[in-house]
Every structure is written in structure tokens, then in C-alpha cells.
Amino acid sequence: MVKRRRRRKNYSANILIFMCLLLICLLIISRCQACNHDDLAATNNPTSDKATNNTSSAAVISQPAVSSSAAANLTDLVIDYGEAVSPGKAGLRKWPEQSCIEIIHQADLQQYRGRSSDQQPLKGILIILDPGHGGQDSGACYPPNAAQPTVIEKTVTLAVGLKTRTALEKLGATVIMTRENDDWVSLYKRIGLTGETILNRYKAELPAAGRKSGKIDHLQPLLDTVININSDAADSGGRGIFKGIGAIEDQRLIMDIESQYPDALFISMHCNALENDTNCSGLQVYYESSDKVYAVESETAKYSDPQANPPGYTLYDDEGRLRLATAIHDSIISELPELNYHGEQSVLDGDYAVLRETNLTNILIEMGFITNDEDRKLLQTASSQQQIADAVAQAVFSYYCR
């Protein structure tokens, strides 16, 4: 009888253990299903951290939710390339000086006029800051060709760029950096990142305008190719649609979209060097005009059949570029008169890929000569770097608000 009672107790205990194990298993299965659902949602959500693979998170613009009924009413964008204009058999053709794609972004710059500097006056303005060089590309160095230089351009440009970002953000601007560390970023990746940033903004505005993005969806993979290859070599594929003379239709599309954003600027920061003349010193600021682009590309086209090349692109905001270059030059000289350039010109119309292949209002700053003793001391000093940064931010404020 005693043994039988023991067996009954063991039997009851086993049932209880079995029930507990079954309950635990059910809880685990339920939890796994919930996790799988979360993972799927992250994969399908373009704004999720798990799904984002951009160099700058600020470049990702969430697409507004559109109901199925509203989506059905969206219509295609109007795109008309028009006919390229030919100046003659020996000249490079030109695209018409008008946008080939529908104007969606309407920037009201008048709203910024008269704003006070202590009330985040640049709220709504986008600045893409481009610290030159980085990674294996050191830029100019001092001493020149030294195994261990004491001053390196890529370090100076990044330091000033980060300080400039802080100064601009205090004024309310949204700032995107092409690099935030000592990373290699090719010239064409910088161009691709700029195009991607503006394309995302443009696409985000389409539903409110009753348009769908189908006709321009193919542009994103083209920009991704440039960004992912990250090379300036002509045979690498890293120049993508920006390679060669003139602008193919897809490049023109991107640049015409960029032209709709006068409330966005691109500012590239560099240091100068002239090994053969260490007395040369001072600030220089470059912009690139439509005439400059066409003249440079026409000259290059002479060595091939000009009619076989894509037409040249000339729909740049020449007035805006020159005004921004002048404002930044004058603002820096006001802060640091020692950087006054004593040569013929200190605001110049020059040819640079990041100015030519992007169609924002943009400029390139040569902050001083690393090869000059006085300039080099300023470029190395944190206080002088801060003065340059503050002067750039003040110039942007003046550009929009004065």
C-alpha cells in the first residue's frame, strides 16, 4: 500500500511538470512569432535603422504614407528634355536653359529676410558641408613630401568643418557632412551623396503635389553605384552617370531637380599650397559659372567629335553662386584680416568637379596656404579655425536673411 501511494504521488507530480513545460513552450513560440513580425517590419520600412544603409542618416527622408485610394489618383511627373541647341559643327551642343522636369519644390526665400540671428533664422535651410580630402588622400601637407608632416590638409578641413556645423546648427540650419571622420570619400561619392539627399527630398514632396515617382525611381540605383564604388578613377565605374563631357539625360534630371532647391547650399572646404612660392598667402573662394563649365567642356570636346558628346549643362544659378562666394570671402576677411589675399583675385570662377557636377548653389573655400608660415599658424590654431567657422555661418545667415 505504501508503494502504491508513492506511485500515485509521482504520477501527479509528473502531470504537473508536463503542464508547466507545455505552458513554457507556448510562451516561447508566441515570443518568436512576435520577433519575426518585428524583423519583417524593419526590413520593409525604409526609415528603419535596420534598413538604412546611407553614409549620412540626415540624407534619408521618410516618404509620407499614402492611402491606396490616394495613390491610385497620383499621376506621372511631366518630363520634357527638349531639343539640344547646336552652336555649329565644331561646338558642343547645349541643353535648353530650362528645367526638363516639373517644378515641385517651391522655396520661399523671402520668409528668411529680416530674421534675427538669435531666433534660429536658418531653420528650413539645408547645408551640405564638404571637408576636403580624407583617408588615404591627405591633401596638401607641410613640410611637403615629408614622411611625417606636421600639418595635413585633411585634418584642418575636418576640424573647421565640424566647427562650422556647430555654428550653423546654432542658427537653425540642417547640416549634412560628406565626412565626419578621417574617411576616404571620392569626389564623385560626394556628388552622389548630394544628389541622393536632394532626390529623397524631392520624392517626399511628390504625393502632396499629386505626382508619383515612377519616372525618376531609376535614378536612385544610379546614385547608389557612384556612392558604393567610391572611386574617382575613370575606369572604376565610380564616376557613373557623371563621367565624361556634357550631361546625359539622367544626369540632367538630377541636376534639374537640384536646381529647385535654392534653400540648400553645398560648401567645400580646402587648404591651398604653393611649394615654389612660400610667400603666397591668403584666402581664395571659388564658384563656377555656366560659362566656365561650357568653356571647359567645349575645349575638351575639341579632341573628339563634339556632336557625339552629350549636350553641355548650363542651368546654374550664376548670381547665387557669386553672391555666396563673395559673402563668405568678405565674412572670413572681416574676422581674420591676416588672410587677405594680395594677388590679383580672391574670388574666382574656377572648374572643380564638386561645383560642376552638382547644381546647388555651391562654392569651394581655399582657407589659406599651408606652405606659408603665417597662414599655416592660423590654420593650425583652434581659435582661428573657430573664427573661420563662425564667419562661414555668419555669411550663410547674411546670404539668406540680409
Side-chain angles (χ1 to χ4, degrees):
M1 292 296 293
V2 175
K3 289 182 179 179
R4 283 177 192 163
R5 286 194 197 99
R6 270 187 205 160
R7 277 197 294 268
R8 285 194 194 101
K9 286 182 180 180
N10 290 341
Y11 181 74
S12 299
N14 288 340
I15 291 176
L16 183 60
I17 292 169
F18 175 78
M19 294 298 292
C20 289
L21 290 173
L22 180 61
L23 181 60
I24 291 170
C25 288
L26 290 173
L27 289 172
I28 291 172
I29 291 171
S30 175
R31 177 61 179 163
C32 288
Q33 289 176 337
C35 289
N36 288 337
H37 181 270
D38 290 343
D39 287 344
L40 182 60
T43 303
N44 291 329
N45 183 359
T47 62
S48 164
D49 289 340
K50 293 182 181 181
T52 299
N53 190 32
N54 292 296
T55 298
S56 174
S57 59
V60 181
I61 305 297
S62 299
Q63 301 296 320
V66 181
S67 66
S68 56
S69 59
N73 294 325
L74 298 180
T75 56
D76 284 328
L77 279 162
V78 176
I79 298 176
D80 180 7
Y81 293 102
E83 293 293 328
V85 178
S86 177
K89 292 183 178 180
L92 182 69
R93 295 173 297 154
K94 283 186 182 182
W95 284 118
E97 292 186 5
Q98 61 189 37
S99 179
C100 69
I101 191 167
E102 192 172 353
I103 305 298
I104 298 296
H105 181 70
Q106 304 281 354
D108 177 17
L109 299 186
Q110 286 302 315
Q111 66 177 302
Y112 298 101
R113 297 296 179 195
R115 287 187 177 183
S116 172
S117 61
D118 60 355
Q119 296 178 338
Q120 292 205 311
L122 297 180
K123 190 173 180 63
I125 298 297
L126 170 67
I127 312 294
I128 300 176
L129 282 181
D130 177 41
H133 308 281
Q136 69 261 34
D137 178 13
S138 297
C141 296
Y142 183 85
N145 305 314
Q148 294 183 322
T150 57
V151 184
I152 305 174
E153 180 180 359
K154 67 175 181 178
T155 306
V156 175
T157 60
L158 182 59
V160 177
L162 293 171
K163 290 177 172 66
T164 305
R165 176 175 67 179
T166 301
L168 285 165
E169 287 177 341
K170 285 181 180 178
L171 293 172
T174 297
V175 181
I176 295 174
M177 305 280 290
T178 58
R179 68 180 182 98
E180 297 176 321
N181 301 291
D182 184 19
D183 298 325
W184 158 251
V185 184
S186 72
L187 294 174
Y188 286 87
K189 180 173 181 176
R190 297 166 201 254
I191 293 162
L193 289 170
T194 300
E196 178 186 61
T197 299
I198 301 303
L199 178 63
N200 285 339
R201 288 178 170 246
Y202 184 79
K203 290 173 72 173
E205 295 184 58
L206 292 179
R211 295 289 187 260
K212 55 187 176 183
S213 63
K215 286 190 173 182
I216 58 172
D217 283 340
H218 68 286
L219 296 177
Q220 185 64 59
L222 297 175
L223 293 170
D224 286 342
T225 296
V226 174
I227 292 167
N228 293 333
I229 292 177
N230 191 23
S231 173
D232 292 325
D235 59 352
S236 67
R239 299 186 184 186
I241 59 173
F242 304 103
K243 181 180 179 180
I245 301 167
I248 63 173
E249 288 183 351
D250 287 332
Q251 182 183 357
R252 184 187 174 196
L253 261 180
I254 292 170
M255 296 181 77
D256 279 351
I257 290 172
E258 290 173 338
S259 73
Q260 298 184 29
Y261 288 82
D263 48 356
L265 304 178
F266 180 96
I267 299 173
S268 190
M269 295 179 159
H270 292 261
C271 299
N272 231 327
L274 193 58
E275 295 178 25
N276 297 330
D277 186 0
T278 58
N279 291 320
C280 193
S281 65
L283 168 77
Q284 291 181 310
V285 182
Y286 288 87
Y287 67 100
E288 186 159 10
S289 68
S290 301
D291 287 345
K292 183 70 172 183
V293 173
Y294 185 73
V296 169
E297 295 203 322
S298 293
E299 182 65 27
T300 307
K302 288 181 180 179
Y303 301 97
S304 60
D305 179 3
Q307 301 299 307
N309 291 305
Y313 187 90
T314 57
L315 188 61
Y316 301 98
D317 180 8
D318 293 344
E319 185 275 334
R321 290 181 171 204
L322 176 57
R323 188 162 65 86
L324 179 63
T326 303
I328 286 180
H329 171 272
D330 293 351
S331 184
I332 293 175
I333 295 303
S334 178
E335 281 284 330
L336 286 167
E338 306 95 312
L339 285 177
N340 190 37
Y341 180 72
H342 297 290
E344 292 183 5
Q345 275 186 295
S346 51
V347 177
L348 304 100
D349 189 356
D351 181 45
Y352 292 89
V354 292
L355 306 184
R356 183 181 65 247
E357 310 294 349
T358 64
N359 197 18
L360 299 182
T361 300
N362 56 32
I363 55 96
L364 185 147
I365 309 170
E366 294 282 7
M367 297 180 287
F369 284 76
I370 279 183
T371 45
N372 176 266
D373 292 343
E374 286 73 24
D375 281 8
R376 188 169 60 253
K377 290 175 184 177
L378 290 174
L379 294 171
Q380 285 181 278
T381 306
S383 59
S384 298
Q385 293 173 354
Q386 187 63 58
Q387 285 179 281
I388 294 173
D390 290 340
V392 171
Q394 182 61 38
V396 174
F397 166 71
S398 297
Y399 179 82
Y400 283 109
C401 302
R402 292 289 180 264

